[in-house]
Amino acid sequence: MRKTKLLLIFIFLLFFVAPFVMNNAFTFRLSGLLILILFAASFQFIARTAGMFSLGHAAFYGIGAYTSALLIQKGYSIFLAILLAGVTAFIISQIIGYLCLKSTGIYFAMLTLSLAQVVYLIIYRTSALGGQDGIPGILAKPLNIFGWELDISRPENYYFVILFTVILSIAILYYLTNSSLGHFLRSIRENSVRTSSLGIHVKRYQMVAFGISGFFGGVAGSLLSPLEGIITPETLAWTQSALPLIIVLIGGINSFWGPVVGAFTFEIFHLITLNSGAANMYLGIILLVTVLVFPSGVIGVSKQLTSLIKKSMRSKNTGKAEELKGVG
């Protein structure tokens, strides 16, 4: 546990000092990676903890992005825009959740995908939201910190807003996952009928889980629009919904830190294959290999390797001890 805490502190320090030692292009890319981590973590909350696989998670991501874009253009502060974007995504998630949670399994997944596409088409056809051109020119106003003004329209400064929001959100998700709510959701995931027979309102807990996931999906999206300066309906496309699923599968769906490892791995492979002209094909191969050969993802493989190394070292130590006994 102590090693884990030290590792987390070390990673946080790396993220904190990165903008001071790297160029702006790297900082911009790192900002995108942090947003991706939160997007995947919000998806994993319902997938791993509650056992619900939503294929329409991009709807909350996009709603968050559009809400923050509109609020920022009206002059709202960045943190108020992020909060209200999360609340808006939460409200929409409750509507979608109410309609979809009447079904389970693949039917639930398909319903979430269908309703997310409805949200996509509504935004695509709404001229007040820019239609297919989206909303350009999103510039967050300067952040006032105890009288000191920080120009967060510059990506290298806005990075710290993203870093703070993502770390806070991940900490809340970690707390919720390990709270009594998380235990109830895991119980529902394992056997909803038995859990219901104990007097627990299964649908109510599932709605809460869906709302929390939608809220943080919206928060992730709200961070994107000021970073890129523009938001388009493609943010809500069904391909975006596949992204957190792919990241979670690559990182390891059975671990809370799967989205973090998965996002890093995904980004590295994306950079390697970017100029190959067949990046999607390589991504498909990686996903296929992960699902078929490494179902526990990168984290599962690293745990297996660590276990094998420890076992090998113990065998060597035992052998040496027996040799010494023989000599004695």
Side-chain angles (χ1 to χ4, degrees), residues 67-100:
T67 306
S68 73
L70 291 171
L71 292 173
I72 287 168
Q73 282 194 333
K74 289 183 181 299
Y76 283 76
S77 71
I78 183 66
F79 286 114
L80 185 59
I82 290 169
L83 179 63
L84 292 178
V87 171
T88 308
F90 172 83
I91 293 168
I92 300 298
S93 74
Q94 291 301 278
I95 298 169
I96 293 177
Y98 178 78
L99 296 171
C100 295

Side-chain angles (χ1 to χ4, degrees), residues 10-22 26-27 30 159-160 163:
F10 177 69
I11 292 171
F12 170 75
L13 289 174
L14 282 181
F15 271 110
F16 187 80
V17 301
F20 299 107
V21 294
M22 298 293 180
F26 182 85
T27 305
L30 203 56
Y159 169 84
F160 291 102
L163 182 64

Side-chain angles (χ1 to χ4, degrees), residues 73-150:
Q73 282 194 333
K74 289 183 181 299
Y76 283 76
S77 71
I78 183 66
F79 286 114
L80 185 59
I82 290 169
L83 179 63
L84 292 178
V87 171
T88 308
F90 172 83
I91 293 168
I92 300 298
S93 74
Q94 291 301 278
I95 298 169
I96 293 177
Y98 178 78
L99 296 171
C100 295
L101 282 169
K102 296 179 186 297
S103 303
T104 56
I106 187 66
Y107 301 104
F108 169 81
M110 293 310 295
L111 272 174
T112 55
L113 177 62
S114 302
L115 290 173
Q117 282 301 101
V118 171
V119 176
Y120 164 76
L121 286 173
I122 290 171
I123 290 180
Y124 187 88
R125 295 177 187 278
T126 304
S127 56
L129 297 175
Q132 60 180 326
D133 296 326
I135 303 174
I138 306 161
L139 285 176
K141 70 176 188 179
L143 193 64
N144 194 304
I145 306 170
F146 303 113
W148 177 60
E149 206 168 74
L150 181 68

